Structure formats: C-alpha cells, structure tokens
Amino acid sequence: MIQRMSRLFLRTLREDPADAEVTSHKLLVRAGYMRRVAPGVYSLLPLGLRLMRNIETVVREEMDAIGAQEILLPALLPREPYEASDRWTEYGDNLFRLKDRRDNDYLLGPTHEEIFTLMVKDLYSSYKDFPAILYQIQTKYRDEERPRAGILRGREFVMKDSYSFDMDEAGLEAAYQAHRTAYRRIFDRLGVDYVICSAMSGAMGGSASEEFLAVAEAGEDTFVRSTGSDYAANVEAVTTPAPEPGPVEGLPEAVVHPTPGATTIAALVDWAGRALPERAVTAADTLKLILLAVTEPGGEEELLGVAIPGDREVDMKRVEAALEPAAVRLAEDADFARHPFLVKGFIGPRALAAHGVRLLVDPRVVAGTSWIAGADAPDAHVVDLVCGRDFTPDGTIEAAEIREGDPAPDGRGTLTLDRGIEIGHIFQLGRKYTDAFEVDILDESGKRARPTMGSYGIGVSRLVGVLAEQLSDERGLRWPASVAPYQAHVVIANKDAAAGEAAERLAGDLDAAGVSTLLDDRPKVSPGVKFRDSELLGMPVVVVVGRGFSDGLVELRDRMGGGTREVPYAEAVAAVRALVRGD
Amino acid sequence: MIQRMSRLFLRTLREDPADAEVTSHKLLVRAGYMRRVAPGVYSLLPLGLRLMRNIETVVREEMDAIGAQEILLPALLPREPYEASDRWTEYGDNLFRLKDRRDNDYLLGPTHEEIFTLMVKDLYSSYKDFPAILYQIQTKYRDEERPRAGILRGREFVMKDSYSFDMDEAGLEAAYQAHRTAYRRIFDRLGVDYVICSAMSGAMGGSASEEFLAVAEAGEDTFVRSTGSDYAANVEAVTTPAPEPGPVEGLPEAVVHPTPGATTIAALVDWAGRALPERAVTAADTLKLILLAVTEPGGEEELLGVAIPGDREVDMKRVEAALEPAAVRLAEDADFARHPFLVKGFIGPRALAAHGVRLLVDPRVVAGTSWIAGADAPDAHVVDLVCGRDFTPDGTIEAAEIREGDPAPDGRGTLTLDRGIEIGHIFQLGRKYTDAFEVDILDESGKRARPTMGSYGIGVSRLVGVLAEQLSDERGLRWPASVAPYQAHVVIANKDAAAGEAAERLAGDLDAAGVSTLLDDRPKVSPGVKFRDSELLGMPVVVVVGRGFSDGLVELRDRMGGGTREVPYAEAVAAVRALVRGD
C-alpha cells in the first residue's frame, strides 16, 4: 500500500522546538516523527513508528537467528522480586514506584532480570532444558534525573532485553559471544557507526561486560580508543598502567615544611617554586588527597581517603564505578568538623592511617615514589613522603581523570577521547539472580546446580535517535533503506495531469516491486516545499516527476549517498530498486 | 523457521492452576501460553505471544484497510490533560496514579482520548486535514477491583484504540460505520462467536454506541437478544416498552390501610391476600420504592426516589448506567435518620413530593395505573394509588431488572438473556474532548469549528482469552488457522530413525510452503504424552508420523474440525495446506 502525503498524519515544522537541545530531537520533531507528551515521554507519529518497527524487525531477526525465543513480560511489576534482588532500593530515584488500590507496592520495570529468572525457575528443572536464551522487545521505564536528549534518553522507552541461562561458564561464554555477534550484525545492518567498549559492570554486579557505543557528540558517555590497537573502553573501565615499584632505600628523608595558605595544588606548586627552586616541582610531584563518605549497601557510612597525582582531577564517575555498589559523596564541612584530625587543605596519608581511615591510591602511586603531601597540620606540607616507607596504601583505585594522550592499557599507542551513546550492552551476570531466587536445577549427576546468567540489552527506541544523530545532514534526516519508514519518496512536481498520473503509477509499480513508497500528492503545495520536505523526512531515494517528464525522464535523488541523475520513466523502478538494495 | 519442541520455552501442566476460575485461564496456563506475575498481570510465553501477534496482525490489516493510521502513544501520561477532561477524578480507583522524582503526578493510560485530541490539535488546523482516523495497538492499565478472570480482565492489557476526527456528523457516522464493518471483519476472521449490542455510553459520555460481545458463560456482561429479530443489547441499554397511559377518571379512590409489619413486598402481598382476597393481588400490583443518594460530578449529594413494580428487583448496574456520570448509592440508616419523613419500609410517592425529593419511575408506571404503595406512615400502605392522579413522577428510569421472556423493545418477540465478554466497543463521542481542549479548526468558510470524535476499542490481549474460552474443548485449546501460533504441529511418534528424518523433512517442507510449523522432536517423550500435548496446545492441524509410516502414511488430525485420516506421506503438505486454508 502506498502512503499518500495528502492523507498522512504529519506536520513538518520550520523551527526547532524550543525544548530540543540535540540534533536528533530537533529533526525528529520538525519532521513529524515524534511529539513530546511529558519530559522524556514521547509519542511516535506514523513515520516514527514505522521506523522503529523496522528497527525491531532487524533486532528480532538476528535474535531469532541465534536461537533466542521471544516472550513478553509486563511492565507493571510487583515489589517482592525486586526486594529479593535488592534492586527495589538500589535503583533509588530512577525507579518509578506506585501502589495499587489495595496499597500493594508495584514498580514500572527498568529491566527484567528478576522476572525472567523466576520464569525459568517455574518452567525448567533439568539440565536438559538448557541452554536457553529468552528475549522481549518491550516498553521500559526509568525516572531519569535529566531527560533532555529527546528519544535518546527517555523515561519511557523500548528495549530489547535478553537473558541467557546456562549450566556452566563455557555455556555462558558461548551465549555471550552469540549475542556479541548478533549485536554486530544488527548495528551493521542499521548502518550505525559504533565501537565495542570494555565496560564496568554498573548497577548489575558481575564480571565480563561490553558496551556498544554509537559515536556521537550528543552522547553522554565518554569512551577512549587507542591509537595503536583496536582497544576501546568506556572511561569508567580504563585501567592506568602502573610503573614498576622501586626501592625505598637511599631516598631523601621526609621533611615537614611550613606552607602557609597553600590549600590548593597550584598554591603548593607555587610555594615549591620559591622554597625548593632546584627541584623544579610540578603538580605531578604532589599528592592530591580527597576525602569521601562511602556507604556500602546495608552498611554504615565510612570515610575513605583517595590519593592521586596532583596534576589530575578526580573523575567522580570513575570513582563511583570503582566503588559500586556503594553510594559515594565528597566529604563536606560537617565531616571535617566531626573529625578534627582532618586538617582541611593539608590532609596527608599519615593522619588517615593513624585514625583508621582507609586510603586508596592511584595506580601510579607505587612503592618507591616520592611525593609532596599534606602534613596533617595547618599550613604545613611534607616533602619526600615515600610510598612504601612513610605510608602504605590499602589498595589502588581508578579515580583520576583520563586524558587524551594517556598511554593505552594494552601498552600499544595512546588514548583518544570521544563521546558516545550506549546502544547495546552485553554482560556476564553470573549467579546473582539464580542465587537470589534459588533456581535449583538437576545436573547430569542428579545434583542441584544453579544456572549462570547473561543479560543483554539494545535500546530500540534510542536507536531511532542515534540514527538521526549520526546520519542526518544540514538539510534533514537520512535513513538507510534497511529501516527507512519508506524506501522511496515519489514527488509530483509537475502540474500536468499526465505527470501526476505517471507518478501515481510509478508509486504503485514501486510498491508492487516490494519498495515501500511514500507519494507526495499534495495538490496545493509548491515543488520547492515538497523538495524541502523530502529532504527533511529523509527517505533514502527521492523520485521527482517534474519538468523532465515531458521528455520522458524522472529525477532520482540519492538522499543517502548524495547525487542526482535523470533516468527514463520506464527504467525508474529498476533504478530505485538498485539504489535501495545498494547495488 | 520451524520451531522444535525440544527447544521451545514451554512447560505443560496436568493440573489446573489454583488461582484460575475460568476455562481460558486454566488452559492457557496449563498449555504454557502465559504465566501470572501479579493479580491481573501476565507474561506471555512464546506460544501466547505468537498468538497475540497474529491477532494484532488481523486487527492492523483491517484498520489499515479503512484508512486508519497507526501511531504509538506512551502509557505513562501526565495528569494535566486528564484533569482537563475530568477523567483524573472520574476514573476513581480504576486509575493507576504515580509520582515522578520531582513529585509531578502521572497516570498509566486506561485509554487515550485526551492525548489523541491534543495531538490532532497540535498537527491539524484546517478542514482539509479531515477526516482522520488514528489508532494504536498499545499496552493499557486499569486497576480492576477483582482481576480474576485471567487474561480476560487484566490490569495490564493490550488494546487497539482508535479515534476518528470529523468536521461534521455525517463524517462521524461514516467513520463509525467503517469501524463497525472493520470490527465485523476482524471478529469474523478470528472465528469469534459474537453479537453487536446497543450499549449505554459508560464513563465516556456521548451518544451512539455499540458493544461487540463474545458469547461466553465466563462473561461479566449480561446481554439480551430477541427471539423475533436481531435486536441485541447489553442489559444497561435495554428499554422497557411502556404501556399506553390510561384515563384516571372513574378509578377507585386511594385508601390507606393498616399493614403492620409489612416492610417487604412478600409481606405486603401476604397482607393483601388476607385483607383484599377478591383482588388476587400479586407483587406486580405493588410499587417498590427505593431511595438512592446521588451525586452529580461537582455537585452535592441528593436523595432520589425510584419506583418500580414490586415483582422486580432493582438492577443497580442499570440504575448506575441510567444516572451516569453521577455516583449512586443506596440510602442507608443514616440517611433515614437525617430525614424523619422517610418511614423505612413504608415510603410512598407522596412524602417524597411533599419534601422535594425527585421521583423517577419504571416506564411501566404510567398515568392511569393503580398501585399498592407505602403510605409514609408506620405500618400503613395505600391501595389504589393512581399514577397521574395521586402522584406525578418526575420522569422515568430504567432501574428494574430485565428478565428472560420480557417483551423486546422493538416489539418483535421476547428477550433471552446471555452472558458475554466485551471484545469491542464503538462509540460516537461527539465534542466532549475537542471542547475540553479547544480544538479550533478553520472550516471552508474560514470560521472556527470543533471536530467531532468517535472512539473505538478492541481488547487484543483479551481476545487470546476469548478464543480460548469459545473454541477449546475438554482436551484442550483449539485455534483457528488465521491466528494459531503454528498452523501445523508435526509429531514424531515412531522411534525409527527414518520416520524421524521424514518428519523433519515434512516440517521443513510445510514451512517452505508457508505453513508455520511446530515439530515435536522430543526424543524421550512417549507418543501418548505427545498426543496429549498436541491436543492441549491446540494447533489446528496435527500431523503424526507414527506407525503407519512403514506403509508410507502419515496421520492428519483436524483439531479444529475434528476427524482423523491417513494420507500418503508425499501428499501430506498439500493436504495440510488445504486444511489450513479451509478448502
């Protein structure tokens, strides 16, 4: 069935919507693909819905191809399973919670590990039932703090989430690799520019984990790539190469110096330039000590010291990822007031050790390195404080910012920084949920065993925004034929009745040839407006039945590849099909 | 792709689930089509999801065929539009309400009149844009008081809801009729046994309205059909034929009699039998007066008297429908205490009139009819109280129960009562929402006009239960080929390796011939169990590769039509196709 623009539920706008900050948001609203209903909550209009359904089809085909089975879980979920897994609490304000008329607690599902696990426990009991991969394409909810990137970060959104269940680690690894391959095929078919990044585990808890990030300025995730290999990781997952520890013997003794008012690294370096000019001290020679208040789930809040080279800033996202699932905040005046041994601006490793406060250090702070650090007294620092001699850290932490040019963890090349949008995540969960719900399966020897799980997600509605972000140009949206709402867009740009009829016939022929077709048959709209709309709407091939029609020619515009050419009317269908197929 | 049962996420149960009351619920759980997550909240397993998707496809095709355009609205909706339409309050406890992290009010959409209306207001401004029909197939929420009929009445469910927008009544009528035709085609294709009933407007407010009810014992709606015509209506919509009013002249005078203790109709008839034996008084000669407390939206609670013939019970569902959108309750002791003129058990029309309480009467209570009614004094009734002489009602009301054998409103035949499940509803809404949201459209003469709306719904997930309810038999589920999860179910019931290979080949050939196919290849399951499962699962055609295979024969079981026959292996594909197509 061809879709006539004269009857399409569509309105294109010349102006960007006032609340839109990113390109995809602006264009998708201007082109009538979606409308905002509430912050982070959108309606998909006919073109937007077709696009998303086409993306879903690609996802479904590739999931089915790895033997995954589709089911559909509710979004309205009871509290109890999420209580059992601790996520009722862990999710904090991100979870939409509600009560029913009988005052029972419910939530709107952010992901469904709990329910899938319970389902497998309900249906399966023998090792013969495994392996199993189950998935759904379903609406999810997350009460984002700042839902402002349009469909890129909605509070109601569509995800494909899948879960693998295996009796052993080899099975989990196979399911993980199958997903990795399926995801690559999906994103390749969609034409997304993406990288696969090593990732920290996030709120899920577990081990191996990779993120698929679409490269985009509008992305909220920063990731690194190496100039010397195909290493890529999100910033939270980058590890800092540690230098070899050195001997402490023979190093100069630690000496306390008065450093009045040097409460910042800059002031300290300034002081050193005056007091110890021969040393040519830089910020990298100083130790920056940050005090955090950390709360493990179910535990009490505790102080924690973190020390990094003074030339780096602390990256709180990396700190949070490193300390997950604990909640973390910077110490405040009240904390200092409660602990008089903390001399603000002059805290050093020694007072922490003396008062039982744990100290984690940057991996560059190894035994034998020498630092200028706080002396735990007002207006005083200690010079030549040696790690492994004058203080002994309780461990290391990835707390320092990553910088463009830092050495790559694999030792090959240096790092570059880019921004990306998470479009997929694959994750070896392990037994967190099968333990929480006591999923006992009889193994080959008749003993009880717990299956191990993987969890895998693709942001389906987000991909609508990602494609708009990556593929659009200054004239509007552009869609690959694999998922475009319509593959061809026939524009009647000739008032001659014969031309109009020919365009109608051409649209019908394209449709019959399996090319989904939009026909701009609006009677009172000028060719100029139609052309602009066709560029804004972004179907991959635009066919103009215009002035050339009197010579038997129509114009083919390759919206995706660029370029325009005239072809004889009789050859138009074949030419469009060739373009759509990428021949 | 054929689906192997050895790998299907499925577990069939021999026992009915403890919480299931209706057949469809029992069978859908036993056959592994769905599982309960919370009261009224279900997961669809692979077979259940395929079934529902097939139903969706039928619905979508027929909606597209009438020119409706599919969009997708969110389920999470802001309070404001529902406040503007009053439905935030009107829906009462049926609405799931929640707050986001900023304490803003949201709801989970029960239907989307408000948002569709706002969308049309946003996109359309000229009469040239009309008519328009928009629809979605989407997940809805209603906090049912007693969600206990499985998927027949869930709290999270899938609906197709559509909305028509027209500039005039003729357009609305056309959209309404187009929907009526599409719905008939949909339900016919699905093989549902249904009736189209005149309906009251319900919580929507508006005029013309019909319900599509699937005939089923498990239904919560009672409807009537006429023995003499194709009249059908839900009980709330049945009108009572009123007799011709008669003259009041010459009728015996009203006389008060002492009727000690006669506070019920039975006691009153009993008294009359003793006191006035010559009259042969029956309950139908008495007037039953019920006192209600009625609150119009935004108004104060008021008393209302309702009088019906004493041989009938009051049907509160009919009363509520008649008085909608007012809230209604029966008067309680406290009401009587507040109004001493109300003599409980002996209330009559006259005290109500004297104290300004409105009285609505059954349509059978017309001028010239004579009744035995309460005398508004303790232990007293009045005989020969004549309507139109001794009391004048303020109007009529359909408050009395409908009974099997009552005359049909169209005067042709009598009524029979049946139970049904609402599967569709079509409804001429009018301008309630375009007025509420001030949708101003320029008409042909350049003046502002308000479009008129229709609203139309189909319970998509409910249809899964309805088909199970209507089509199942004592052995299990049965699905029509139009929506069955798989059209053919090939059972390997012969341990011979050649038979197994032949079955695999047959399944592949069926799949290649466009027949979706399930293959029972479970190696260690007995033929008996496989047969029972095939009956429970209910695919329309079961092909058994069993004992007869050594003679080159396979067995075809027509699960839907009944009957079994053997066909040569080579002819099996053609024979299955013929059965599936209904040839």
Side-chain angles (χ1 to χ4, degrees), chain A residues 1 3 7-11 35 37-39 41-46 49 52-53 60 64 69-78 93-94 96-102 106 108 115 119-120 122-124 128-131 134 137 141 143-146 155-156 524, chain B residues 1 3 7-11 35 37-39 41-46 49 52-53 60 64 69-78 93-94 96-102 106 108 115 119-120 122-124 128-131 134 137 141 143-146 155-156 524:
Chain A
M1 211 155 55
Q3 175 66 52
R7 299 259 42 97
L8 181 62
F9 188 59
L10 175 76
R11 185 179 167 200
R35 282 292 184 273
V37 173
V41 181
Y42 294 91
S43 293
L44 290 178
L45 302 188
L49 179 59
M52 187 171 79
R53 291 279 184 254
R60 187 172 281 120
D64 291 346
Q69 298 185 61
E70 188 175 2
I71 67 178
L72 183 63
L73 269 50
L76 181 67
L77 301 173
D93 282 346
N94 287 314
F96 280 109
R97 298 178 182 82
L98 69 160
K99 286 178 181 293
D100 73 359
R101 64 198 296 155
R102 301 191 195 288
Y106 284 81
L108 300 182
I115 314 295
M119 194 94 71
V120 165
D122 175 12
L123 266 71
Y124 279 175
K128 293 180 212 154
D129 295 325
F130 295 84
L134 300 172
I137 297 178
Y141 297 85
D143 196 359
E144 296 284 349
E145 197 171 353
R146 283 178 220 86
R155 298 198 294 170
E156 171 172 328
K524 291 189 177 168
Chain B
M1 213 155 54
Q3 175 66 51
R7 300 257 43 96
L8 181 62
F9 188 59
L10 176 75
R11 183 177 169 203
R35 282 293 183 270
V37 173
V41 180
Y42 294 90
S43 292
L44 290 178
L45 302 188
L49 180 59
M52 187 171 80
R53 292 277 184 255
R60 186 173 281 120
D64 291 346
Q69 299 184 61
E70 188 175 3
I71 67 179
L72 183 64
L73 269 51
L76 181 68
L77 301 173
D93 282 345
N94 287 314
F96 280 109
R97 298 177 182 83
L98 69 161
K99 285 178 180 293
D100 74 358
R101 66 197 297 155
R102 300 191 195 289
Y106 283 82
L108 300 182
I115 315 295
M119 194 95 70
V120 166
D122 175 11
L123 265 72
Y124 279 174
K128 293 178 212 154
D129 296 324
F130 295 83
L134 302 171
I137 297 178
Y141 296 87
D143 196 358
E144 295 283 348
E145 198 172 352
R146 283 177 219 86
R155 297 198 294 170
E156 171 171 328
K524 293 191 177 168

Side-chain angles (χ1 to χ4, degrees), chain B residues 93-404:
Chain B
D93 282 345
N94 287 314
L95 200 62
F96 280 109
R97 298 177 182 83
L98 69 161
K99 285 178 180 293
D100 74 358
R101 66 197 297 155
R102 300 191 195 289
D103 217 37
N104 293 313
D105 282 315
Y106 283 82
L107 60 104
L108 300 182
T111 61
H112 283 73
E113 278 79 358
E114 287 82 352
I115 315 295
F116 274 85
T117 307
L118 285 170
M119 194 95 70
V120 166
K121 177 180 169 131
D122 175 11
L123 265 72
Y124 279 174
S125 57
S126 155
Y127 72 96
K128 293 178 212 154
D129 296 324
F130 295 83
I133 300 176
L134 302 171
Y135 79 100
Q136 62 176 347
I137 297 178
Q138 190 251 11
T139 306
K140 304 228 173 315
Y141 296 87
R142 216 166 286 173
D143 196 358
E144 295 283 348
E145 198 172 352
R146 283 177 219 86
R148 49 176 182 197
I151 203 170
L152 288 177
R153 186 170 283 272
R155 297 198 294 170
E156 171 171 328
F157 53 97
V158 176
M159 258 187 76
K160 186 285 297 175
D161 50 331
S162 49
Y163 306 88
S164 64
F165 296 84
D166 285 277
M167 295 305 289
D168 55 31
E169 308 313 313
L172 171 55
E173 179 62 24
Y176 183 88
Q177 291 303 332
H179 273 89
R180 200 175 193 276
T181 306
Y183 279 31
R184 293 182 63 160
R185 289 188 50 85
I186 290 165
F187 299 130
D188 288 345
R189 284 177 64 181
L190 299 182
V192 187
D193 175 19
Y194 67 96
V195 293
I196 305 178
C197 284
S198 313
M200 297 290 290
S201 50
M204 307 277 195
S207 47
S209 170
E210 287 167 293
E211 281 178 10
F212 292 71
L213 292 183
V215 184
E217 266 307 307
E220 294 194 349
D221 294 312
T222 307
F223 70 96
V224 303
R225 282 188 274 199
S226 169
T227 55
S229 70
D230 57 5
Y231 172 82
N234 75 31
V235 158
E236 288 85 341
V238 177
T239 52
T240 307
E244 282 295 307
V248 300
E249 294 80 32
L251 293 176
E253 213 169 297
V255 177
V256 174
H257 291 258
T259 56
T263 56
T264 64
I265 297 294
L268 185 60
V269 170
D270 201 43
W271 166 83
R274 282 180 278 111
L276 313 163
E278 74 288 357
R279 295 215 175 190
V281 166
T282 70
D285 301 315
T286 69
L287 199 62
K288 180 183 284 184
L289 211 149
I290 301 97
L291 212 64
L292 303 174
V294 175
T295 315
E296 296 287 341
E300 304 266 296
E301 191 172 69
E302 285 186 10
L303 287 181
L304 174 69
V306 165
I308 62 172
D311 62 330
R312 305 240 164 199
E313 296 301 324
V314 166
D315 181 335
M316 281 304 286
K317 274 193 167 179
R318 280 169 49 79
V319 170
E320 283 164 11
L323 296 177
E324 204 152 6
V328 184
R329 63 175 178 84
L330 286 169
E332 294 161 5
D333 284 347
D335 300 293
F336 287 95
R338 261 199 305 279
H339 302 287
F341 67 91
L342 299 170
V343 186
K344 201 175 175 187
F346 302 92
I347 309 172
R350 294 198 278 197
L352 299 184
H355 291 84
V357 176
R358 278 171 21 102
L359 174 67
L360 302 179
V361 299
D362 185 272
R364 280 165 286 229
V365 183
V366 294
T369 55
S370 187
W371 305 89
I372 302 178
D376 299 308
D379 295 325
H381 279 84
V382 52
V383 176
D384 290 324
L385 191 75
V386 171
C387 181
R389 181 189 73 185
D390 304 320
F391 69 100
T392 308
D394 297 294
T396 61
I397 184 170
E398 292 291 349
E401 57 174 337
I402 301 296
R403 289 193 196 142
E404 192 100 19

Side-chain angles (χ1 to χ4, degrees), chain A residues 173-410:
Chain A
E173 179 62 26
Y176 184 88
Q177 291 303 333
H179 273 90
R180 199 175 194 274
T181 306
Y183 278 31
R184 294 183 63 159
R185 289 187 50 85
I186 289 165
F187 299 130
D188 288 345
R189 284 177 65 180
L190 299 183
V192 186
D193 175 18
Y194 66 96
V195 293
I196 304 178
C197 285
S198 312
M200 297 291 290
S201 53
M204 307 277 195
S207 47
S209 169
E210 287 168 293
E211 281 178 10
F212 291 72
L213 291 184
V215 185
E217 265 308 307
E220 294 193 350
D221 294 312
T222 307
F223 69 96
V224 303
R225 282 188 276 199
S226 169
T227 56
S229 70
D230 57 6
Y231 172 83
N234 75 32
V235 158
E236 287 85 340
V238 177
T239 53
T240 306
E244 282 296 307
V248 300
E249 295 80 31
L251 292 176
E253 214 168 299
V255 178
V256 174
H257 291 258
T259 57
T263 57
T264 63
I265 297 294
L268 184 61
V269 171
D270 201 42
W271 166 83
R274 284 180 275 113
L276 313 163
E278 74 288 358
R279 294 217 173 189
V281 165
T282 70
D285 301 316
T286 69
L287 199 60
K288 180 182 286 185
L289 211 149
I290 300 98
L291 211 63
L292 303 173
V294 174
T295 315
E296 296 286 343
E300 304 266 296
E301 190 174 71
E302 285 185 10
L303 288 180
L304 174 69
V306 165
I308 62 172
D311 63 330
R312 304 239 164 200
E313 296 301 324
V314 166
D315 181 335
M316 280 304 285
K317 272 194 169 179
R318 279 169 51 77
V319 171
E320 284 165 11
L323 296 177
E324 206 153 5
V328 185
R329 63 175 178 84
L330 286 169
E332 294 161 4
D333 285 346
D335 300 294
F336 287 96
R338 261 199 306 279
H339 302 286
F341 67 90
L342 300 171
V343 185
K344 201 174 173 186
F346 301 93
I347 308 173
R350 295 199 276 197
L352 298 184
H355 291 83
V357 176
R358 279 174 17 104
L359 174 67
L360 302 180
V361 299
D362 185 273
R364 281 164 288 229
V365 183
V366 295
T369 54
S370 187
W371 305 88
I372 302 179
D376 299 308
D379 295 327
H381 279 83
V382 51
V383 176
D384 289 326
L385 191 74
V386 171
C387 182
R389 181 189 74 184
D390 304 320
F391 68 101
T392 308
D394 297 292
T396 61
I397 184 170
E398 293 291 349
E401 58 175 336
I402 300 297
R403 289 192 195 143
E404 192 100 19
D406 280 349
D410 62 1

Side-chain angles (χ1 to χ4, degrees), chain B residues 377-581:
Chain B
D379 295 325
H381 279 84
V382 52
V383 176
D384 290 324
L385 191 75
V386 171
C387 181
R389 181 189 73 185
D390 304 320
F391 69 100
T392 308
D394 297 294
T396 61
I397 184 170
E398 292 291 349
E401 57 174 337
I402 301 296
R403 289 193 196 142
E404 192 100 19
D406 279 350
D410 63 1
R412 293 151 68 196
T414 58
L415 298 179
T416 60
L417 282 164
D418 268 305
R419 299 188 74 75
I421 303 164
E422 185 184 335
I423 50 176
H425 193 171
I426 56 178
F427 188 60
Q428 299 193 15
L429 254 184
R431 294 182 171 82
K432 169 174 174 175
Y433 294 94
T434 50
D435 281 345
F437 296 107
E438 299 181 341
V439 183
D440 286 324
I441 303 297
L442 292 184
D443 69 13
E444 289 190 60
S445 56
K447 278 186 299 204
R448 287 184 190 172
R450 295 262 155 89
T452 180
M453 285 174 66
S455 124
Y456 316 88
I458 286 181
V460 172
S461 49
R462 176 177 288 182
L463 278 166
V464 170
V466 165
L467 292 176
E469 206 61 49
Q470 287 192 338
L471 302 176
S472 60
D473 61 15
E474 65 293 348
R475 291 176 295 163
L477 298 164
R478 296 194 302 174
W479 306 115
S482 56
V483 292
Y486 296 93
Q487 295 168 316
H489 184 158
V490 176
V491 176
I492 304 178
N494 183 328
K495 288 198 170 170
D496 190 37
E501 283 161 27
E504 298 260 353
R505 213 160 44 237
L506 178 57
D509 291 348
L510 283 167
D511 183 63
V515 177
S516 56
T517 300
L518 182 65
L519 172 66
D520 195 346
D521 61 339
R522 293 176 294 174
K524 293 191 177 168
V525 175
S526 73
V529 168
K530 288 183 176 179
F531 295 156
R532 269 203 301 281
D533 276 348
S534 76
E535 287 171 341
L536 180 59
L537 297 183
M539 306 315 148
V541 185
V542 179
V543 187
V544 179
V545 181
R547 263 174 291 185
F549 181 71
S550 53
D551 304 321
L553 297 172
V554 299
E555 192 179 294
L556 248 62
R557 299 179 175 188
D558 182 353
R559 179 79 182 96
M560 205 56 175
T564 293
R565 65 193 165 98
E566 291 201 311
V567 297
Y569 177 83
E571 292 166 24
V573 171
V576 171
R577 284 191 71 182
L579 267 177
V580 163
R581 290 173 171 182

